[in-house]
Amino acid sequence: MPIADTIHPAQHTVQPVNARVATPRRLLMCRPSHFDVTYSINPWMHPEKPCDGGRAVAQWEQLYELYTSLGHSVEVIDPIPGLPDMVFAANGATVVDGKVLGARFRHAERTAEGPAYLNWFEKQGFQETLWPEYINEGEGDYLVVGRRILAGTGFRTDPRSHAEAQEFFGLPVTGLTLVNPNHYHLDTALSVLSDTEIMYYPEAFSKGSQSVLRAMFPDAILARHEDAAVFGLNAFSDGYNVLLPQAATNLIARLKNRGFNPIGVELSELLKAGGSVKCCTLELR
């Protein structure tokens, strides 16, 4: 298992309001041209309920245009017929320092997405890529905070993959155990706001993992049930602007109080498959 290095809470202080600066990011997205809910691999998916593909595309396009209007560079991978969840680009890989750790999915329905994404990176000229030995679902369960990686497990990602990621990236990896099936990926229960700040939903984690998060991030924003239930933590931050589901009203208010600029986004159609802002967004570091 990865090392558990000494935690220094004093290093994780809340930044002054006037210190918030938006940093342009390079992002990867996938248009939901083939989006549908035809199977169920999480509690949000109900194949018996209709989906509106046109509405899913329109909502995705609004997110895409919002990113570009904020100064971010957005690249798009071609969607593949028969892979309706490929829109959730965050699951496709983890990219740090130009290194690409491929994703290996737990459920057969999504297995082909891993090679598709890794092939895209290789064609784009990324030199250091790794096809993983153990199951990991990309940035669904790997979230980068400064020079550390928080790594989820419990439902999808194999805990053995945490050591694999640490060895590949050369960064400390801290494992966190998820215990609530509604929050099966780390990015549904925790969001990175800056290099030292996060927000999360405590009840999604085991008692031990809650203690680790309290020690590492004593000033974190703690989400309420009603915000976690609308995927409010499935958010993207550039250090100042925080894009998150518009229904997460309490989180929006608390982010404003911390000096962030929260921007509510409507992705209700994609939520039918258990995804929102962060799920649609893979950062190419």
Side-chain angles (χ1 to χ4, degrees):
M1 291 298 291
I3 59 172
D5 55 351
T6 303
I7 303 300
H8 301 287
Q11 295 179 355
H12 301 281
T13 57
V14 178
Q15 296 184 36
V17 170
N18 58 7
R20 305 284 180 207
V21 177
T23 304
R25 309 295 173 92
R26 183 184 177 194
L27 310 174
L28 179 63
M29 299 180 70
C30 181
R31 184 180 300 275
S33 302
H34 310 292
F35 177 75
D36 200 354
V37 178
T38 59
Y39 49 79
S40 180
I41 59 173
N42 68 56
W44 302 84
M45 304 179 83
H46 300 282
E48 71 279 6
K49 295 182 179 179
C51 285
D52 187 332
R55 189 179 184 206
V57 170
Q59 291 180 345
W60 179 91
E61 287 179 341
Q62 289 177 352
L63 178 62
Y64 173 92
E65 291 169 1
L66 183 55
Y67 280 138
T68 58
S69 72
L70 292 172
H72 302 300
S73 171
V74 184
E75 299 177 46
V76 179
I77 183 175
D78 292 332
I80 297 175
L83 299 179
D85 282 344
M86 195 170 170
V87 60
F88 301 129
N91 302 148
T94 305
V95 187
V96 183
D97 297 333
K99 296 181 177 181
V100 182
L101 176 61
R104 191 171 191 141
F105 288 83
R106 181 165 296 279
H107 294 97
E109 291 88 345
R110 300 194 66 182
T111 315
E113 294 179 41
Y117 272 95
L118 196 60
N119 182 59
W120 183 88
F121 281 103
E122 291 172 346
K123 286 184 175 180
Q124 296 301 311
F126 285 79
Q127 297 297 314
E128 293 187 75
T129 64
L130 177 67
W131 177 248
E133 179 179 358
Y134 300 107
I135 290 171
N136 86 74
E137 300 206 349
E139 281 199 354
D141 275 326
Y142 288 141
L143 296 178
V144 180
V145 190
R147 299 300 293 171
R148 172 190 300 281
I149 297 174
L150 301 180
T153 189
F155 295 99
R156 300 290 184 85
T157 294
D158 189 319
R160 292 174 294 181
S161 75
H162 297 177
E164 186 175 29
Q166 180 167 280
E167 187 65 23
F168 180 61
F169 291 122
L171 294 177
V173 173
T174 300
L176 300 169
T177 301
L178 297 160
V179 295
N180 185 331
N182 286 329
H183 303 284
Y184 50 90
H185 276 153
L186 184 61
D187 71 355
T188 71
L190 186 151
S191 179
V192 178
L193 299 174
S194 73
D195 285 349
T196 59
E197 298 165 279
I198 67 169
M199 58 182 181
Y200 68 97
Y201 179 49
E203 287 78 3
F205 297 92
S206 67
K207 294 297 184 183
S209 294
Q210 289 182 41
S211 296
V212 169
L213 287 169
R214 283 195 299 270
M216 293 177 66
F217 304 99
D219 297 311
I221 295 175
L222 303 183
R224 298 175 181 174
H225 171 75
E226 54 266 33
D227 287 321
V230 294
F231 259 44
L233 291 158
N234 196 244
F236 173 85
S237 173
D238 61 16
Y240 173 61
N241 302 295
V242 181
L243 284 61
L244 73 166
Q246 62 184 21
T249 54
N250 177 65
L251 281 180
I252 288 173
R254 299 189 68 188
L255 286 164
K256 287 181 179 178
N257 289 337
R258 291 287 183 97
F260 290 98
N261 178 41
I263 302 173
V265 181
E266 176 60 57
L267 289 174
S268 55
E269 204 62 30
L270 295 177
L271 185 56
K272 294 178 180 179
S276 191
V277 176
K278 180 63 185 75
C279 287
C280 293
T281 312
L282 176 61
E283 186 168 351
L284 309 182
R285 299 177 185 82

PDB file of all heavy atoms in Angstrom, residues 136-172:
ATOM      1  N   ASN A 136      -8.583   0.736 -12.121  1.00  0.00           N
ATOM      2  CA  ASN A 136      -8.737   2.110 -11.634  1.00  0.00           C
ATOM      3  C   ASN A 136      -9.627   2.835 -12.628  1.00  0.00           C
ATOM      4  O   ASN A 136      -9.596   2.546 -13.819  1.00  0.00           O
ATOM      5  CB  ASN A 136      -7.385   2.816 -11.469  1.00  0.00           C
ATOM      6  CG  ASN A 136      -6.891   3.456 -12.753  1.00  0.00           C
ATOM      7  OD1 ASN A 136      -7.396   4.491 -13.187  1.00  0.00           O
ATOM      8  ND2 ASN A 136      -5.908   2.824 -13.393  1.00  0.00           N
ATOM      9  N   GLU A 137     -10.452   3.733 -12.151  1.00  0.00           N
ATOM     10  CA  GLU A 137     -11.391   4.428 -13.033  1.00  0.00           C
ATOM     11  C   GLU A 137     -11.049   5.908 -13.166  1.00  0.00           C
ATOM     12  O   GLU A 137     -11.880   6.796 -13.015  1.00  0.00           O
ATOM     13  CB  GLU A 137     -12.824   4.165 -12.571  1.00  0.00           C
ATOM     14  CG  GLU A 137     -13.133   2.668 -12.601  1.00  0.00           C
ATOM     15  CD  GLU A 137     -14.595   2.308 -12.783  1.00  0.00           C
ATOM     16  OE1 GLU A 137     -15.452   3.198 -12.682  1.00  0.00           O
ATOM     17  OE2 GLU A 137     -14.868   1.114 -13.029  1.00  0.00           O
ATOM     18  N   GLY A 138      -9.747   6.126 -13.459  1.00  0.00           N
ATOM     19  CA  GLY A 138      -9.266   7.447 -13.800  1.00  0.00           C
ATOM     20  C   GLY A 138      -9.518   8.478 -12.718  1.00  0.00           C
ATOM     21  O   GLY A 138      -9.454   8.186 -11.517  1.00  0.00           O
ATOM     22  N   GLU A 139      -9.805   9.702 -13.175  1.00  0.00           N
ATOM     23  CA  GLU A 139     -10.042  10.781 -12.220  1.00  0.00           C
ATOM     24  C   GLU A 139     -11.389  10.654 -11.525  1.00  0.00           C
ATOM     25  O   GLU A 139     -11.734  11.513 -10.709  1.00  0.00           O
ATOM     26  CB  GLU A 139      -9.925  12.148 -12.916  1.00  0.00           C
ATOM     27  CG  GLU A 139      -8.497  12.580 -13.116  1.00  0.00           C
ATOM     28  CD  GLU A 139      -8.373  14.072 -13.373  1.00  0.00           C
ATOM     29  OE1 GLU A 139      -9.403  14.766 -13.501  1.00  0.00           O
ATOM     30  OE2 GLU A 139      -7.235  14.546 -13.460  1.00  0.00           O
ATOM     31  N   GLY A 140     -12.123   9.608 -11.826  1.00  0.00           N
ATOM     32  CA  GLY A 140     -13.281   9.316 -11.001  1.00  0.00           C
ATOM     33  C   GLY A 140     -12.837   9.010  -9.580  1.00  0.00           C
ATOM     34  O   GLY A 140     -13.488   9.396  -8.605  1.00  0.00           O
ATOM     35  N   ASP A 141     -11.692   8.327  -9.463  1.00  0.00           N
ATOM     36  CA  ASP A 141     -11.179   7.952  -8.148  1.00  0.00           C
ATOM     37  C   ASP A 141      -9.809   8.512  -7.821  1.00  0.00           C
ATOM     38  O   ASP A 141      -9.311   8.302  -6.711  1.00  0.00           O
ATOM     39  CB  ASP A 141     -11.141   6.425  -8.018  1.00  0.00           C
ATOM     40  CG  ASP A 141     -12.467   5.844  -7.563  1.00  0.00           C
ATOM     41  OD1 ASP A 141     -13.160   6.501  -6.766  1.00  0.00           O
ATOM     42  OD2 ASP A 141     -12.820   4.740  -8.013  1.00  0.00           O
ATOM     43  N   TYR A 142      -9.166   9.214  -8.753  1.00  0.00           N
ATOM     44  CA  TYR A 142      -7.883   9.861  -8.469  1.00  0.00           C
ATOM     45  C   TYR A 142      -8.056  11.369  -8.603  1.00  0.00           C
ATOM     46  O   TYR A 142      -8.329  11.871  -9.706  1.00  0.00           O
ATOM     47  CB  TYR A 142      -6.798   9.406  -9.450  1.00  0.00           C
ATOM     48  CG  TYR A 142      -6.294   7.993  -9.260  1.00  0.00           C
ATOM     49  CD1 TYR A 142      -6.008   7.186 -10.349  1.00  0.00           C
ATOM     50  CD2 TYR A 142      -6.095   7.473  -7.984  1.00  0.00           C
ATOM     51  CE1 TYR A 142      -5.537   5.888 -10.187  1.00  0.00           C
ATOM     52  CE2 TYR A 142      -5.622   6.184  -7.808  1.00  0.00           C
ATOM     53  CZ  TYR A 142      -5.344   5.387  -8.917  1.00  0.00           C
ATOM     54  OH  TYR A 142      -4.879   4.109  -8.746  1.00  0.00           O
ATOM     55  N   LEU A 143      -7.889  12.098  -7.520  1.00  0.00           N
ATOM     56  CA  LEU A 143      -8.004  13.549  -7.542  1.00  0.00           C
ATOM     57  C   LEU A 143      -6.691  14.161  -7.069  1.00  0.00           C
ATOM     58  O   LEU A 143      -6.180  13.814  -5.998  1.00  0.00           O
ATOM     59  CB  LEU A 143      -9.159  14.013  -6.650  1.00  0.00           C
ATOM     60  CG  LEU A 143     -10.560  13.553  -7.107  1.00  0.00           C
ATOM     61  CD1 LEU A 143     -11.623  14.037  -6.130  1.00  0.00           C
ATOM     62  CD2 LEU A 143     -10.871  14.048  -8.516  1.00  0.00           C
ATOM     63  N   VAL A 144      -6.156  15.075  -7.866  1.00  0.00           N
ATOM     64  CA  VAL A 144      -4.857  15.678  -7.587  1.00  0.00           C
ATOM     65  C   VAL A 144      -5.046  16.968  -6.795  1.00  0.00           C
ATOM     66  O   VAL A 144      -5.779  17.869  -7.206  1.00  0.00           O
ATOM     67  CB  VAL A 144      -4.103  15.978  -8.900  1.00  0.00           C
ATOM     68  CG1 VAL A 144      -2.743  16.600  -8.602  1.00  0.00           C
ATOM     69  CG2 VAL A 144      -3.939  14.692  -9.721  1.00  0.00           C
ATOM     70  N   VAL A 145      -4.390  17.028  -5.638  1.00  0.00           N
ATOM     71  CA  VAL A 145      -4.424  18.219  -4.778  1.00  0.00           C
ATOM     72  C   VAL A 145      -2.989  18.684  -4.602  1.00  0.00           C
ATOM     73  O   VAL A 145      -2.229  18.098  -3.826  1.00  0.00           O
ATOM     74  CB  VAL A 145      -5.058  17.920  -3.403  1.00  0.00           C
ATOM     75  CG1 VAL A 145      -5.298  19.222  -2.645  1.00  0.00           C
ATOM     76  CG2 VAL A 145      -6.347  17.139  -3.547  1.00  0.00           C
ATOM     77  N   GLY A 146      -2.599  19.734  -5.317  1.00  0.00           N
ATOM     78  CA  GLY A 146      -1.213  20.165  -5.261  1.00  0.00           C
ATOM     79  C   GLY A 146      -0.309  19.063  -5.783  1.00  0.00           C
ATOM     80  O   GLY A 146      -0.455  18.611  -6.913  1.00  0.00           O
ATOM     81  N   ARG A 147       0.621  18.621  -4.957  1.00  0.00           N
ATOM     82  CA  ARG A 147       1.533  17.537  -5.346  1.00  0.00           C
ATOM     83  C   ARG A 147       1.211  16.262  -4.587  1.00  0.00           C
ATOM     84  O   ARG A 147       2.096  15.503  -4.174  1.00  0.00           O
ATOM     85  CB  ARG A 147       2.987  17.969  -5.086  1.00  0.00           C
ATOM     86  CG  ARG A 147       3.420  19.195  -5.868  1.00  0.00           C
ATOM     87  CD  ARG A 147       3.327  18.968  -7.370  1.00  0.00           C
ATOM     88  NE  ARG A 147       4.293  17.986  -7.836  1.00  0.00           N
ATOM     89  CZ  ARG A 147       4.299  17.485  -9.075  1.00  0.00           C
ATOM     90  NH1 ARG A 147       3.375  17.852  -9.951  1.00  0.00           N
ATOM     91  NH2 ARG A 147       5.218  16.598  -9.424  1.00  0.00           N
ATOM     92  N   ARG A 148      -0.055  15.999  -4.420  1.00  0.00           N
ATOM     93  CA  ARG A 148      -0.540  14.797  -3.753  1.00  0.00           C
ATOM     94  C   ARG A 148      -1.741  14.272  -4.527  1.00  0.00           C
ATOM     95  O   ARG A 148      -2.462  15.033  -5.179  1.00  0.00           O
ATOM     96  CB  ARG A 148      -0.951  15.115  -2.315  1.00  0.00           C
ATOM     97  CG  ARG A 148      -1.655  13.976  -1.587  1.00  0.00           C
ATOM     98  CD  ARG A 148      -2.236  14.437  -0.263  1.00  0.00           C
ATOM     99  NE  ARG A 148      -1.198  14.947   0.612  1.00  0.00           N
ATOM    100  CZ  ARG A 148      -0.378  14.189   1.318  1.00  0.00           C
ATOM    101  NH1 ARG A 148      -0.489  12.874   1.269  1.00  0.00           N
ATOM    102  NH2 ARG A 148       0.527  14.728   2.090  1.00  0.00           N
ATOM    103  N   ILE A 149      -1.958  12.977  -4.459  1.00  0.00           N
ATOM    104  CA  ILE A 149      -3.123  12.371  -5.095  1.00  0.00           C
ATOM    105  C   ILE A 149      -3.992  11.733  -4.017  1.00  0.00           C
ATOM    106  O   ILE A 149      -3.516  10.922  -3.214  1.00  0.00           O
ATOM    107  CB  ILE A 149      -2.709  11.297  -6.125  1.00  0.00           C
ATOM    108  CG1 ILE A 149      -1.891  11.933  -7.258  1.00  0.00           C
ATOM    109  CG2 ILE A 149      -3.948  10.610  -6.706  1.00  0.00           C
ATOM    110  CD1 ILE A 149      -1.322  10.928  -8.244  1.00  0.00           C
ATOM    111  N   LEU A 150      -5.260  12.123  -3.990  1.00  0.00           N
ATOM    112  CA  LEU A 150      -6.241  11.441  -3.147  1.00  0.00           C
ATOM    113  C   LEU A 150      -6.869  10.346  -4.001  1.00  0.00           C
ATOM    114  O   LEU A 150      -7.301  10.602  -5.133  1.00  0.00           O
ATOM    115  CB  LEU A 150      -7.305  12.432  -2.667  1.00  0.00           C
ATOM    116  CG  LEU A 150      -6.808  13.630  -1.865  1.00  0.00           C
ATOM    117  CD1 LEU A 150      -7.985  14.515  -1.457  1.00  0.00           C
ATOM    118  CD2 LEU A 150      -6.024  13.176  -0.643  1.00  0.00           C
ATOM    119  N   ALA A 151      -6.918   9.144  -3.470  1.00  0.00           N
ATOM    120  CA  ALA A 151      -7.337   7.992  -4.256  1.00  0.00           C
ATOM    121  C   ALA A 151      -8.493   7.258  -3.585  1.00  0.00           C
ATOM    122  O   ALA A 151      -8.375   6.819  -2.440  1.00  0.00           O
ATOM    123  CB  ALA A 151      -6.164   7.034  -4.458  1.00  0.00           C
ATOM    124  N   GLY A 152      -9.595   7.142  -4.298  1.00  0.00           N
ATOM    125  CA  GLY A 152     -10.768   6.467  -3.756  1.00  0.00           C
ATOM    126  C   GLY A 152     -10.765   4.975  -4.013  1.00  0.00           C
ATOM    127  O   GLY A 152     -10.157   4.480  -4.970  1.00  0.00           O
ATOM    128  N   THR A 153     -11.454   4.259  -3.150  1.00  0.00           N
ATOM    129  CA  THR A 153     -11.665   2.824  -3.327  1.00  0.00           C
ATOM    130  C   THR A 153     -12.925   2.460  -2.559  1.00  0.00           C
ATOM    131  O   THR A 153     -13.488   3.274  -1.838  1.00  0.00           O
ATOM    132  CB  THR A 153     -10.459   2.002  -2.826  1.00  0.00           C
ATOM    133  OG1 THR A 153     -10.629   0.630  -3.211  1.00  0.00           O
ATOM    134  CG2 THR A 153     -10.311   2.077  -1.312  1.00  0.00           C
ATOM    135  N   GLY A 154     -13.377   1.235  -2.731  1.00  0.00           N
ATOM    136  CA  GLY A 154     -14.567   0.796  -2.014  1.00  0.00           C
ATOM    137  C   GLY A 154     -15.626   0.234  -2.939  1.00  0.00           C
ATOM    138  O   GLY A 154     -16.341  -0.705  -2.579  1.00  0.00           O
ATOM    139  N   PHE A 155     -15.735   0.809  -4.146  1.00  0.00           N
ATOM    140  CA  PHE A 155     -16.739   0.343  -5.103  1.00  0.00           C
ATOM    141  C   PHE A 155     -16.137   0.027  -6.470  1.00  0.00           C
ATOM    142  O   PHE A 155     -16.508  -0.954  -7.096  1.00  0.00           O
ATOM    143  CB  PHE A 155     -17.854   1.384  -5.260  1.00  0.00           C
ATOM    144  CG  PHE A 155     -18.649   1.585  -4.011  1.00  0.00           C
ATOM    145  CD1 PHE A 155     -18.385   2.654  -3.164  1.00  0.00           C
ATOM    146  CD2 PHE A 155     -19.643   0.681  -3.642  1.00  0.00           C
ATOM    147  CE1 PHE A 155     -19.116   2.837  -2.002  1.00  0.00           C
ATOM    148  CE2 PHE A 155     -20.373   0.851  -2.475  1.00  0.00           C
ATOM    149  CZ  PHE A 155     -20.111   1.939  -1.651  1.00  0.00           C
ATOM    150  N   ARG A 156     -15.238   0.849  -6.958  1.00  0.00           N
ATOM    151  CA  ARG A 156     -14.717   0.664  -8.315  1.00  0.00           C
ATOM    152  C   ARG A 156     -13.212   0.387  -8.329  1.00  0.00           C
ATOM    153  O   ARG A 156     -12.771  -0.677  -8.727  1.00  0.00           O
ATOM    154  CB  ARG A 156     -15.030   1.897  -9.180  1.00  0.00           C
ATOM    155  CG  ARG A 156     -16.524   2.207  -9.322  1.00  0.00           C
ATOM    156  CD  ARG A 156     -17.254   1.190 -10.168  1.00  0.00           C
ATOM    157  NE  ARG A 156     -18.645   1.529 -10.383  1.00  0.00           N
ATOM    158  CZ  ARG A 156     -19.100   2.335 -11.337  1.00  0.00           C
ATOM    159  NH1 ARG A 156     -18.248   2.908 -12.163  1.00  0.00           N
ATOM    160  NH2 ARG A 156     -20.393   2.568 -11.467  1.00  0.00           N
ATOM    161  N   THR A 157     -12.415   1.353  -7.922  1.00  0.00           N
ATOM    162  CA  THR A 157     -10.964   1.245  -8.044  1.00  0.00           C
ATOM    163  C   THR A 157     -10.372   0.280  -7.027  1.00  0.00           C
ATOM    164  O   THR A 157     -10.675   0.346  -5.833  1.00  0.00           O
ATOM    165  CB  THR A 157     -10.326   2.638  -7.907  1.00  0.00           C
ATOM    166  OG1 THR A 157     -10.728   3.436  -9.030  1.00  0.00           O
ATOM    167  CG2 THR A 157      -8.815   2.572  -7.862  1.00  0.00           C
ATOM    168  N   ASP A 158      -9.523  -0.619  -7.511  1.00  0.00           N
ATOM    169  CA  ASP A 158      -8.828  -1.599  -6.675  1.00  0.00           C
ATOM    170  C   ASP A 158      -7.809  -0.866  -5.806  1.00  0.00           C
ATOM    171  O   ASP A 158      -7.008  -0.075  -6.322  1.00  0.00           O
ATOM    172  CB  ASP A 158      -8.126  -2.599  -7.588  1.00  0.00           C
ATOM    173  CG  ASP A 158      -7.552  -3.801  -6.843  1.00  0.00           C
ATOM    174  OD1 ASP A 158      -6.993  -3.617  -5.743  1.00  0.00           O
ATOM    175  OD2 ASP A 158      -7.653  -4.930  -7.365  1.00  0.00           O
ATOM    176  N   PRO A 159      -7.800  -1.094  -4.496  1.00  0.00           N
ATOM    177  CA  PRO A 159      -6.828  -0.399  -3.638  1.00  0.00           C
ATOM    178  C   PRO A 159      -5.380  -0.669  -4.028  1.00  0.00           C
ATOM    179  O   PRO A 159      -4.495   0.154  -3.773  1.00  0.00           O
ATOM    180  CB  PRO A 159      -7.143  -0.917  -2.228  1.00  0.00           C
ATOM    181  CG  PRO A 159      -7.926  -2.176  -2.437  1.00  0.00           C
ATOM    182  CD  PRO A 159      -8.680  -1.986  -3.705  1.00  0.00           C
ATOM    183  N   ARG A 160      -5.115  -1.799  -4.680  1.00  0.00           N
ATOM    184  CA  ARG A 160      -3.748  -2.091  -5.121  1.00  0.00           C
ATOM    185  C   ARG A 160      -3.282  -1.108  -6.197  1.00  0.00           C
ATOM    186  O   ARG A 160      -2.075  -0.910  -6.392  1.00  0.00           O
ATOM    187  CB  ARG A 160      -3.654  -3.529  -5.634  1.00  0.00           C
ATOM    188  CG  ARG A 160      -3.822  -4.586  -4.555  1.00  0.00           C
ATOM    189  CD  ARG A 160      -3.866  -5.977  -5.142  1.00  0.00           C
ATOM    190  NE  ARG A 160      -5.065  -6.172  -5.967  1.00  0.00           N
ATOM    191  CZ  ARG A 160      -5.363  -7.311  -6.588  1.00  0.00           C
ATOM    192  NH1 ARG A 160      -4.540  -8.354  -6.489  1.00  0.00           N
ATOM    193  NH2 ARG A 160      -6.469  -7.420  -7.310  1.00  0.00           N
ATOM    194  N   SER A 161      -4.228  -0.493  -6.893  1.00  0.00           N
ATOM    195  CA  SER A 161      -3.857   0.464  -7.935  1.00  0.00           C
ATOM    196  C   SER A 161      -3.283   1.746  -7.344  1.00  0.00           C
ATOM    197  O   SER A 161      -2.597   2.493  -8.039  1.00  0.00           O
ATOM    198  CB  SER A 161      -5.077   0.806  -8.798  1.00  0.00           C
ATOM    199  OG  SER A 161      -5.963   1.675  -8.112  1.00  0.00           O
ATOM    200  N   HIS A 162      -3.551   2.009  -6.063  1.00  0.00           N
ATOM    201  CA  HIS A 162      -3.019   3.212  -5.437  1.00  0.00           C
ATOM    202  C   HIS A 162      -1.484   3.184  -5.414  1.00  0.00           C
ATOM    203  O   HIS A 162      -0.841   4.197  -5.702  1.00  0.00           O
ATOM    204  CB  HIS A 162      -3.550   3.355  -4.015  1.00  0.00           C
ATOM    205  CG  HIS A 162      -5.040   3.535  -3.948  1.00  0.00           C
ATOM    206  ND1 HIS A 162      -5.724   3.614  -2.747  1.00  0.00           N
ATOM    207  CD2 HIS A 162      -5.988   3.635  -4.916  1.00  0.00           C
ATOM    208  CE1 HIS A 162      -7.025   3.770  -2.991  1.00  0.00           C
ATOM    209  NE2 HIS A 162      -7.197   3.779  -4.298  1.00  0.00           N
ATOM    210  N   ALA A 163      -0.926   2.040  -5.092  1.00  0.00           N
ATOM    211  CA  ALA A 163       0.537   1.900  -5.098  1.00  0.00           C
ATOM    212  C   ALA A 163       1.070   1.992  -6.523  1.00  0.00           C
ATOM    213  O   ALA A 163       2.152   2.557  -6.760  1.00  0.00           O
ATOM    214  CB  ALA A 163       0.935   0.572  -4.463  1.00  0.00           C
ATOM    215  N   GLU A 164       0.323   1.461  -7.469  1.00  0.00           N
ATOM    216  CA  GLU A 164       0.718   1.535  -8.873  1.00  0.00           C
ATOM    217  C   GLU A 164       0.783   2.993  -9.332  1.00  0.00           C
ATOM    218  O   GLU A 164       1.731   3.406 -10.020  1.00  0.00           O
ATOM    219  CB  GLU A 164      -0.286   0.746  -9.720  1.00  0.00           C
ATOM    220  CG  GLU A 164       0.081   0.605 -11.182  1.00  0.00           C
ATOM    221  CD  GLU A 164      -0.902  -0.282 -11.934  1.00  0.00           C
ATOM    222  OE1 GLU A 164      -2.090  -0.338 -11.544  1.00  0.00           O
ATOM    223  OE2 GLU A 164      -0.474  -0.902 -12.922  1.00  0.00           O
ATOM    224  N   ALA A 165      -0.210   3.780  -8.945  1.00  0.00           N
ATOM    225  CA  ALA A 165      -0.234   5.202  -9.312  1.00  0.00           C
ATOM    226  C   ALA A 165       0.910   5.957  -8.640  1.00  0.00           C
ATOM    227  O   ALA A 165       1.561   6.815  -9.255  1.00  0.00           O
ATOM    228  CB  ALA A 165      -1.577   5.817  -8.921  1.00  0.00           C
ATOM    229  N   GLN A 166       1.173   5.647  -7.376  1.00  0.00           N
ATOM    230  CA  GLN A 166       2.250   6.325  -6.658  1.00  0.00           C
ATOM    231  C   GLN A 166       3.596   6.059  -7.319  1.00  0.00           C
ATOM    232  O   GLN A 166       4.423   6.968  -7.481  1.00  0.00           O
ATOM    233  CB  GLN A 166       2.269   5.866  -5.200  1.00  0.00           C
ATOM    234  CG  GLN A 166       3.359   6.528  -4.368  1.00  0.00           C
ATOM    235  CD  GLN A 166       3.161   6.301  -2.887  1.00  0.00           C
ATOM    236  OE1 GLN A 166       2.364   6.966  -2.251  1.00  0.00           O
ATOM    237  NE2 GLN A 166       3.891   5.351  -2.331  1.00  0.00           N
ATOM    238  N   GLU A 167       3.823   4.828  -7.710  1.00  0.00           N
ATOM    239  CA  GLU A 167       5.086   4.461  -8.346  1.00  0.00           C
ATOM    240  C   GLU A 167       5.220   5.128  -9.717  1.00  0.00           C
ATOM    241  O   GLU A 167       6.301   5.600 -10.087  1.00  0.00           O
ATOM    242  CB  GLU A 167       5.177   2.945  -8.494  1.00  0.00           C
ATOM    243  CG  GLU A 167       6.513   2.436  -8.993  1.00  0.00           C
ATOM    244  CD  GLU A 167       7.642   2.693  -8.008  1.00  0.00           C
ATOM    245  OE1 GLU A 167       7.371   2.855  -6.803  1.00  0.00           O
ATOM    246  OE2 GLU A 167       8.811   2.743  -8.459  1.00  0.00           O
ATOM    247  N   PHE A 168       4.135   5.193 -10.469  1.00  0.00           N
ATOM    248  CA  PHE A 168       4.176   5.759 -11.818  1.00  0.00           C
ATOM    249  C   PHE A 168       4.351   7.270 -11.807  1.00  0.00           C
ATOM    250  O   PHE A 168       5.182   7.825 -12.532  1.00  0.00           O
ATOM    251  CB  PHE A 168       2.897   5.381 -12.574  1.00  0.00           C
ATOM    252  CG  PHE A 168       2.829   5.910 -13.981  1.00  0.00           C
ATOM    253  CD1 PHE A 168       3.777   5.542 -14.926  1.00  0.00           C
ATOM    254  CD2 PHE A 168       1.805   6.761 -14.364  1.00  0.00           C
ATOM    255  CE1 PHE A 168       3.718   6.024 -16.232  1.00  0.00           C
ATOM    256  CE2 PHE A 168       1.726   7.247 -15.667  1.00  0.00           C
ATOM    257  CZ  PHE A 168       2.693   6.880 -16.599  1.00  0.00           C
ATOM    258  N   PHE A 169       3.592   7.947 -10.970  1.00  0.00           N
ATOM    259  CA  PHE A 169       3.647   9.408 -10.947  1.00  0.00           C
ATOM    260  C   PHE A 169       4.746   9.958 -10.030  1.00  0.00           C
ATOM    261  O   PHE A 169       5.151  11.113 -10.165  1.00  0.00           O
ATOM    262  CB  PHE A 169       2.298   9.981 -10.505  1.00  0.00           C
ATOM    263  CG  PHE A 169       1.196   9.793 -11.506  1.00  0.00           C
ATOM    264  CD1 PHE A 169       0.033   9.115 -11.149  1.00  0.00           C
ATOM    265  CD2 PHE A 169       1.309  10.283 -12.795  1.00  0.00           C
ATOM    266  CE1 PHE A 169      -1.001   8.943 -12.068  1.00  0.00           C
ATOM    267  CE2 PHE A 169       0.291  10.117 -13.721  1.00  0.00           C
ATOM    268  CZ  PHE A 169      -0.872   9.439 -13.363  1.00  0.00           C
ATOM    269  N   GLY A 170       5.194   9.155  -9.077  1.00  0.00           N
ATOM    270  CA  GLY A 170       6.202   9.640  -8.141  1.00  0.00           C
ATOM    271  C   GLY A 170       5.656  10.677  -7.192  1.00  0.00           C
ATOM    272  O   GLY A 170       6.386  11.571  -6.735  1.00  0.00           O
ATOM    273  N   LEU A 171       4.375  10.580  -6.870  1.00  0.00           N
ATOM    274  CA  LEU A 171       3.727  11.493  -5.933  1.00  0.00           C
ATOM    275  C   LEU A 171       3.079  10.677  -4.820  1.00  0.00           C
ATOM    276  O   LEU A 171       2.644   9.539  -5.049  1.00  0.00           O
ATOM    277  CB  LEU A 171       2.644  12.315  -6.642  1.00  0.00           C
ATOM    278  CG  LEU A 171       3.106  13.303  -7.713  1.00  0.00           C
ATOM    279  CD1 LEU A 171       1.892  13.965  -8.366  1.00  0.00           C
ATOM    280  CD2 LEU A 171       4.033  14.354  -7.118  1.00  0.00           C
ATOM    281  N   PRO A 172       2.999  11.244  -3.595  1.00  0.00           N
ATOM    282  CA  PRO A 172       2.330  10.518  -2.517  1.00  0.00           C
ATOM    283  C   PRO A 172       0.849  10.333  -2.805  1.00  0.00           C
ATOM    284  O   PRO A 172       0.171  11.249  -3.277  1.00  0.00           O
ATOM    285  CB  PRO A 172       2.561  11.402  -1.287  1.00  0.00           C
ATOM    286  CG  PRO A 172       2.849  12.758  -1.838  1.00  0.00           C
ATOM    287  CD  PRO A 172       3.535  12.541  -3.146  1.00  0.00           C
TER     288      PRO A 172
END
